[in-house]
Amino acid sequence: MSSSDPTGRKAVAAVWRIDSARIIGALTRYTGDFALAEDLAQEALAEALVTWPREGVPNNPAGWLLTVGRRRAIDAFRRRSARDEKYAALAHHLPEGGALTGATEPGPAPDDVLWDPDQIDDDTLALMFTSCHPVLSREAGVALTLRVIGGLTSDEIARAFLVPTATVQARITRAKKTLGAANVPFEVPPVAERPARLAQVLSVVYLIFTEGSSASSGDEVMRLDLAGEAQRLARILSRLMPEEPEVHSLLALLELTAARFPARRGPDGETILLEDQDRRRWDRSAIARGRAALAKATDAGRGYGYYGLQAAIAECHALAASVEDTDWDRIVVLYDGLGRLAPSPVVDLNRAVAISMARGPAAALPIVDELAAGDAFKDSHQLPGVRGELLRRLGRLDEARAEFETAVRLCGNERERSVLTRKLDALVTPGN
């Protein structure tokens, strides 16, 4: 294979995206140092980018990366004379010659298995809990999760959230330093601590998906790669923690929401609103997966939680043949429950939309007016966009125009702004 052959580089990218979490998790378990393990994995990745295009892809690519990472760990421990004992223990696990070449022997004996298959899930789960630890800010948790679990580069994360690469790198660096300073252990937390820790993990995955499904800025309404990463993380969690109903609820919400993605964009990338979508383009397999996940959550018998209520709302949309056939009364009830469980202005605004569909715009406008009197949406296009639509349906076109003009001015996403502009242009004042 020539040095210019891209096959090796493509293989590196594919293996890294699939196995990076397991590799980093195993290295963390071996070294006891999360930050060091992530650095070692990155060094192994860099070596693969040089070696594989030149010498060919090894038979066991993930094993190659892990072995190189462990070799680099040995080198690091050798430089730290105080850690000779750990260096010897790590060196014992390498096959003959591995400390020099990073290679593995054909057909390794049981003692030479690169990681214990029974430990992989625990390592991945521990890694996810570590990267989403409560000592980290939400922004740092998102960046670190996408880096170590999703296998995204700093450039990819920066592009996804429209921030400079240096900002992402700084967040990741601070996160690793914070974890080290806090002496956060690399482990699945004790049972008593899991509910609070799990909530942070689910929150990070949910935030990643939310940004992917409705981009806050830029010229695309969605970032499918980002939303896809969140779905993948949710699937990992559902396999690793099958007893947790909110894990299945989150997966259900993500699947049912993503099922509508194919119909949300037109041929030129323009946004297509729910009422105008061709529901034949909705992903029926994703709907089936989402409903199955929601059923698992329901079977736990604890009632719907935060993600379960949202998933149930998404299921109402998925089962309806049209906007008119949607069970809006049930959606209002579900939003009532969500408002009691996790009150927020966003929930209130969505509940108002559902009420307008179930009972008419006049019933919803007082709720929106009350929200407008507060500061929660002062810099957001969402509230004036909803209020403008309600006023349009009530025939108060001059007021609707003012709201849509505000929404257009505040909207940071070009595709959504074009939708609002079309609504504004479509207003016809009587007498004109």
Side-chain angles (χ1 to χ4, degrees), residues 128-147:
M128 187 172 287
F129 272 101
T130 300
S131 62
C132 296
H133 195 278
V135 300
L136 302 178
S137 68
R138 176 172 288 191
E139 293 79 8
V142 168
L144 196 59
T145 300
L146 287 175
R147 176 71 167 267

mmCIF file of all heavy atoms in Angstrom, residues 128-147:
data_model
loop_
_atom_site.group_PDB
_atom_site.id
_atom_site.type_symbol
_atom_site.label_atom_id
_atom_site.label_comp_id
_atom_site.label_asym_id
_atom_site.label_seq_id
_atom_site.Cartn_x
_atom_site.Cartn_y
_atom_site.Cartn_z
ATOM 1 N N MET A 128 -18.271 6.773 30.483
ATOM 2 C CA MET A 128 -19.373 7.701 30.255
ATOM 3 C C MET A 128 -19.715 8.463 31.529
ATOM 4 O O MET A 128 -19.916 9.682 31.517
ATOM 5 C CB MET A 128 -20.597 6.948 29.727
ATOM 6 C CG MET A 128 -21.729 7.860 29.303
ATOM 7 S SD MET A 128 -23.074 6.991 28.460
ATOM 8 C CE MET A 128 -22.319 6.633 26.884
ATOM 9 N N PHE A 129 -19.749 7.756 32.664
ATOM 10 C CA PHE A 129 -20.036 8.432 33.925
ATOM 11 C C PHE A 129 -18.919 9.401 34.294
ATOM 12 O O PHE A 129 -19.175 10.471 34.854
ATOM 13 C CB PHE A 129 -20.236 7.406 35.046
ATOM 14 C CG PHE A 129 -21.646 6.916 35.167
ATOM 15 C CD1 PHE A 129 -22.017 5.691 34.651
ATOM 16 C CD2 PHE A 129 -22.610 7.686 35.791
ATOM 17 C CE1 PHE A 129 -23.322 5.240 34.748
ATOM 18 C CE2 PHE A 129 -23.922 7.237 35.901
ATOM 19 C CZ PHE A 129 -24.276 6.021 35.381
ATOM 20 N N THR A 130 -17.690 9.043 33.975
ATOM 21 C CA THR A 130 -16.569 9.918 34.291
ATOM 22 C C THR A 130 -16.611 11.187 33.457
ATOM 23 O O THR A 130 -16.437 12.301 33.967
ATOM 24 C CB THR A 130 -15.234 9.191 34.055
ATOM 25 O OG1 THR A 130 -15.172 8.024 34.884
ATOM 26 C CG2 THR A 130 -14.056 10.095 34.385
ATOM 27 N N SER A 131 -16.850 11.051 32.161
ATOM 28 C CA SER A 131 -16.838 12.215 31.281
ATOM 29 C C SER A 131 -18.043 13.120 31.521
ATOM 30 O O SER A 131 -18.038 14.278 31.082
ATOM 31 C CB SER A 131 -16.799 11.776 29.812
ATOM 32 O OG SER A 131 -17.944 11.025 29.472
ATOM 33 N N CYS A 132 -19.063 12.622 32.191
ATOM 34 C CA CYS A 132 -20.242 13.431 32.522
ATOM 35 C C CYS A 132 -20.351 13.675 34.026
ATOM 36 O O CYS A 132 -21.443 13.869 34.548
ATOM 37 C CB CYS A 132 -21.515 12.750 32.016
ATOM 38 S SG CYS A 132 -21.651 12.586 30.244
ATOM 39 N N HIS A 133 -19.232 13.655 34.721
ATOM 40 C CA HIS A 133 -19.253 13.801 36.173
ATOM 41 C C HIS A 133 -19.811 15.161 36.577
ATOM 42 O O HIS A 133 -19.560 16.174 35.906
ATOM 43 C CB HIS A 133 -17.837 13.629 36.728
ATOM 44 C CG HIS A 133 -17.805 13.398 38.208
ATOM 45 N ND1 HIS A 133 -17.889 14.421 39.115
ATOM 46 C CD2 HIS A 133 -17.704 12.255 38.928
ATOM 47 C CE1 HIS A 133 -17.844 13.934 40.345
ATOM 48 N NE2 HIS A 133 -17.721 12.615 40.248
ATOM 49 N N PRO A 134 -20.553 15.225 37.684
ATOM 50 C CA PRO A 134 -21.156 16.503 38.114
ATOM 51 C C PRO A 134 -20.159 17.608 38.420
ATOM 52 O O PRO A 134 -20.546 18.784 38.451
ATOM 53 C CB PRO A 134 -21.934 16.102 39.381
ATOM 54 C CG PRO A 134 -22.233 14.651 39.207
ATOM 55 C CD PRO A 134 -21.049 14.087 38.480
ATOM 56 N N VAL A 135 -18.877 17.283 38.661
ATOM 57 C CA VAL A 135 -17.908 18.355 38.930
ATOM 58 C C VAL A 135 -17.610 19.167 37.673
ATOM 59 O O VAL A 135 -17.030 20.249 37.761
ATOM 60 C CB VAL A 135 -16.578 17.792 39.505
ATOM 61 C CG1 VAL A 135 -16.830 17.065 40.800
ATOM 62 C CG2 VAL A 135 -15.855 16.913 38.504
ATOM 63 N N LEU A 136 -17.992 18.657 36.507
ATOM 64 C CA LEU A 136 -17.742 19.349 35.249
ATOM 65 C C LEU A 136 -18.935 20.212 34.864
ATOM 66 O O LEU A 136 -20.082 19.872 35.169
ATOM 67 C CB LEU A 136 -17.465 18.344 34.124
ATOM 68 C CG LEU A 136 -16.298 17.381 34.323
ATOM 69 C CD1 LEU A 136 -16.200 16.424 33.145
ATOM 70 C CD2 LEU A 136 -14.993 18.154 34.488
ATOM 71 N N SER A 137 -18.678 21.295 34.181
ATOM 72 C CA SER A 137 -19.762 22.093 33.623
ATOM 73 C C SER A 137 -20.425 21.315 32.497
ATOM 74 O O SER A 137 -19.852 20.359 31.967
ATOM 75 C CB SER A 137 -19.225 23.418 33.068
ATOM 76 O OG SER A 137 -18.407 23.177 31.922
ATOM 77 N N ARG A 138 -21.623 21.733 32.148
ATOM 78 C CA ARG A 138 -22.329 21.034 31.072
ATOM 79 C C ARG A 138 -21.551 21.122 29.763
ATOM 80 O O ARG A 138 -21.435 20.136 29.032
ATOM 81 C CB ARG A 138 -23.734 21.615 30.891
ATOM 82 C CG ARG A 138 -24.493 20.995 29.733
ATOM 83 C CD ARG A 138 -25.936 21.438 29.707
ATOM 84 N NE ARG A 138 -26.688 20.827 30.788
ATOM 85 C CZ ARG A 138 -28.027 20.873 30.869
ATOM 86 N NH1 ARG A 138 -28.726 21.501 29.948
ATOM 87 N NH2 ARG A 138 -28.659 20.301 31.861
ATOM 88 N N GLU A 139 -20.993 22.299 29.469
ATOM 89 C CA GLU A 139 -20.237 22.462 28.233
ATOM 90 C C GLU A 139 -19.016 21.549 28.207
ATOM 91 O O GLU A 139 -18.702 20.933 27.179
ATOM 92 C CB GLU A 139 -19.791 23.924 28.079
ATOM 93 C CG GLU A 139 -20.924 24.915 27.857
ATOM 94 C CD GLU A 139 -21.652 25.290 29.134
ATOM 95 O OE1 GLU A 139 -21.181 24.897 30.237
ATOM 96 O OE2 GLU A 139 -22.692 25.955 29.045
ATOM 97 N N ALA A 140 -18.326 21.453 29.342
ATOM 98 C CA ALA A 140 -17.156 20.584 29.411
ATOM 99 C C ALA A 140 -17.559 19.127 29.299
ATOM 100 O O ALA A 140 -16.880 18.327 28.636
ATOM 101 C CB ALA A 140 -16.406 20.826 30.721
ATOM 102 N N GLY A 141 -18.687 18.761 29.932
ATOM 103 C CA GLY A 141 -19.161 17.380 29.847
ATOM 104 C C GLY A 141 -19.532 16.986 28.432
ATOM 105 O O GLY A 141 -19.232 15.870 27.988
ATOM 106 N N VAL A 142 -20.163 17.900 27.713
ATOM 107 C CA VAL A 142 -20.524 17.623 26.323
ATOM 108 C C VAL A 142 -19.271 17.416 25.477
ATOM 109 O O VAL A 142 -19.155 16.448 24.712
ATOM 110 C CB VAL A 142 -21.372 18.773 25.739
ATOM 111 C CG1 VAL A 142 -21.502 18.630 24.226
ATOM 112 C CG2 VAL A 142 -22.753 18.779 26.370
ATOM 113 N N ALA A 143 -18.314 18.332 25.611
ATOM 114 C CA ALA A 143 -17.094 18.242 24.813
ATOM 115 C C ALA A 143 -16.325 16.961 25.117
ATOM 116 O O ALA A 143 -15.871 16.262 24.199
ATOM 117 C CB ALA A 143 -16.215 19.467 25.066
ATOM 118 N N LEU A 144 -16.183 16.650 26.395
ATOM 119 C CA LEU A 144 -15.419 15.459 26.775
ATOM 120 C C LEU A 144 -16.140 14.191 26.339
ATOM 121 O O LEU A 144 -15.506 13.225 25.901
ATOM 122 C CB LEU A 144 -15.180 15.459 28.284
ATOM 123 C CG LEU A 144 -14.093 14.521 28.802
ATOM 124 C CD1 LEU A 144 -12.752 14.852 28.182
ATOM 125 C CD2 LEU A 144 -14.012 14.596 30.319
ATOM 126 N N THR A 145 -17.462 14.167 26.453
ATOM 127 C CA THR A 145 -18.224 12.989 26.040
ATOM 128 C C THR A 145 -18.078 12.744 24.539
ATOM 129 O O THR A 145 -17.856 11.614 24.103
ATOM 130 C CB THR A 145 -19.710 13.162 26.400
ATOM 131 O OG1 THR A 145 -19.836 13.340 27.805
ATOM 132 C CG2 THR A 145 -20.519 11.940 25.987
ATOM 133 N N LEU A 146 -18.219 13.794 23.758
ATOM 134 C CA LEU A 146 -18.076 13.637 22.308
ATOM 135 C C LEU A 146 -16.659 13.219 21.938
ATOM 136 O O LEU A 146 -16.456 12.483 20.964
ATOM 137 C CB LEU A 146 -18.438 14.944 21.599
ATOM 138 C CG LEU A 146 -19.926 15.283 21.579
ATOM 139 C CD1 LEU A 146 -20.152 16.655 20.968
ATOM 140 C CD2 LEU A 146 -20.716 14.244 20.809
ATOM 141 N N ARG A 147 -15.679 13.659 22.714
ATOM 142 C CA ARG A 147 -14.288 13.315 22.418
ATOM 143 C C ARG A 147 -14.000 11.852 22.766
ATOM 144 O O ARG A 147 -13.485 11.103 21.933
ATOM 145 C CB ARG A 147 -13.370 14.248 23.210
ATOM 146 C CG ARG A 147 -11.882 13.944 23.086
ATOM 147 C CD ARG A 147 -11.336 14.299 21.704
ATOM 148 N NE ARG A 147 -9.897 14.294 21.725
ATOM 149 C CZ ARG A 147 -9.151 15.368 21.959
ATOM 150 N NH1 ARG A 147 -9.732 16.528 22.210
ATOM 151 N NH2 ARG A 147 -7.854 15.290 21.947
#
